[in-house]
Amino acid sequence: MDKLVIKGGKKLAGEVRISGSKNASLPIFVATILAPGLNRIGNVPFLRDINTTIKVLESLGAIIEGNGNLVKIDSAGIHNHEATYDLVKTMRASVLVLGPLLARFGKARVSLPGGCAIGARPINLHLKGLQALGAEINLEHGYVEAEAKRLKGARINFDISTVGGTEHLMMAAATAKGETVLENAAREPEIDDLAQVLNLMGAHIEGAGTDTIRIQGVNELSPVSYSVMPDRIEAGTFMIAAAITGGDVKILGMKPEHLDALIFKLQDAGVEITSRDNVVRVKAPRKLRSINIKTRPYPGFPTDMQAQFMALMCVADGASVISENIFENRFMHVSELLRFGADITTEGNSATVKGVKKLSGAPVMATDLRASASLILAGLAADNITEISRIYHLDRGYESIEKKLAGLGADIQRIKE
Ligand code: EPU
C-alpha cells in the first residue's frame, strides 16, 4: 500500500487549479442511465470513486471511454438492472442507480450499502421517496428489489436534509408521470449541477438549489454533453493548506460562492481572502485566531471540511469548539491529530481544540477521505517528517493531491510499497 511522506514547515506559494467535483460527477454519471445514447461528460476528476462508478455502469451494459478528463458514456446498451454487493460496498453512492434503473426498466435490484466509517448512513429516505412515487420495494438477501410499471409524481417531504436522497428522487421523478414536489430538499451545489444535466437531457426541473424542487415528469430523456462543476471541497482543502502553512496561494477555477460558510470562518480566523473571476487568493495571517464551527447542510459549514478545519484550529491562538451535526462518527481524525501533539478533547458530537505552538511530525494512519486530508494539512504544518499510511482513502476523492501540493512548494512524496 502506498504512503505519503511529508517534510513539514514549507510555506505554500503559487497557483493551483481545482479539478472537477467528485460528488457532482457521481450522480451525473448515474443520470446517463436515463438518457440512452452517447453522453459526453467533461471536467471529470481522475479518482478511484469515478472508476468504481464506471465499473458499476459497465456492469449494467454501458460502454465507456475516457480521454483525459472527458468521459464518454454510451448508455444505449444498458440492459442489466442489477448492481451487485461487490460494487456497492466499495462505494455507497452506487445505490443511486436504483431509481434510474427502475425508471428505465420498471424494475431494479441493487445491493443495500452497509454502514461506513463516518456513520450508519441509512437509505431509508431514498426508499420511502421511491415508494411515494409508486415503487413496490422489498428487501431480500441484502438487496433492495424495486418494481413499478411507471413511477408516478408525488409530494415528498424529507424528514432530514439528504444530498443523495434529493439527487436520487430528482432522477427517479424526471421521467415519472405527472408532477413531483420535493420539500425540505437538500440545497448543495452538486444538486443544482445534476438538475442542470437532467434539464439539458430534456427534464423539467425547477428550484434545484432551494428547499423546494418541482419536477414535471417527461416521457424520455436524451444524451448530453456537460462539463462538471469544480470541486468545492478540494478548493476548501487548498485554502486551508495555504492558511495552515503561513502561505500565499492563488486557487484557480473554483467557485467561491459555493464556499461562503468556510470563507467567512477563515476570515474570522484572520485569513486574508480576495477573489476575482474564479481566482481566489488566500493569504495566511501572522497569527491565526481560534473560531467555533458547527457543521450544517448547505449553505451551512460543510461536514466535508470539518476535519481539515480542525487541523487548522490545532495551531490557532486560543480554543475552538467544533460540532459535527451531520454524521455521528466523524471525529476519527482526532486520535490521529493527537499523535502530532494536538490538544483536542471530545464529548459527544463536539470537540474542543486548544491551539498549540507547533505540531510535531508523526507516523499516522488515514481512516476516511476527509480525515486523510486533515492529516496531510497537519503534516504540512508540523516540524520534521510525517508518514501517512492507508492513503487509498485519499485516492477516492483528491485528484493528484501530492503533485498539486508539491507544485505549491510542499515537500511531499508518495512512496509505493
Ligand atoms: N440519512 C438518513 N437517511 C437517508 C439518507 C441520509 O438518515 O435515507 C442521514 C445520513 O445518515 C446523514 C445525513 O442524513 O446523517 C446526511 O446524509 P446525506 O444523505 O446528505 O449524505 P450522502 O448523500 O450520503 C453526500 C456526500 C458526502 C457528504 C454528505 C453531506 C456524495 C457522494 N457524498 O453523502 O460526501 O459528506 O453528502 O454533505 O455526494 C465525502 O465526499 O467525503 C462525503 C462523505
Side-chain angles (χ1 to χ4, degrees), residues 23 231-241 258-263 265-266 293-296 300-313 322-324 326-327 330 333 368-371 373-374 377 398:
N23 288 348
D231 197 307
R232 63 192 169 102
I233 305 301
E234 186 199 16
T237 303
F238 277 100
M239 293 179 84
I240 293 187
H258 289 168
L259 277 170
D260 278 347
L262 172 69
I263 290 175
K265 287 294 178 184
L266 286 173
I293 59 160
K294 293 185 168 124
T295 63
R296 298 267 182 233
F301 191 97
T303 172
D304 289 344
M305 287 303 305
Q306 179 258 106
Q308 302 90 315
F309 200 85
M310 187 183 290
L312 182 67
M313 290 298 100
I322 296 182
S323 322
E324 171 55 52
I326 308 294
F327 292 110
R330 212 171 196 184
H333 41 284
D368 75 80
L369 173 57
R370 309 303 171 188
S374 76
L377 295 168
Y398 286 95

Side-chain angles (χ1 to χ4, degrees), residues 166 170 182 185-188 191-192 195 199 204-215:
T166 303
M170 215 164 66
L182 304 178
R187 292 181 278 168
E188 272 67 3
I191 291 168
D192 190 34
N199 281 341
H204 291 165
I205 301 174
E206 272 176 22
T210 75
D211 62 4
T212 306
I213 303 179
R214 283 177 191 279
I215 305 151

Side-chain angles (χ1 to χ4, degrees), residues 120-139:
R121 304 183 74 180
I123 56 158
N124 56 318
L125 301 177
H126 302 223
L127 300 184
K128 201 172 148 197
L130 290 173
Q131 278 168 327
L133 296 179
E136 199 177 295
I137 292 195
N138 289 304
L139 301 184

Side-chain angles (χ1 to χ4, degrees), residues 155-159 181-185 211-213:
R155 225 187 90 221
I156 295 165
N157 188 298
F158 289 103
D159 291 343
V181 183
L182 304 178
E183 293 169 350
N184 194 26
D211 62 4
T212 306
I213 303 179

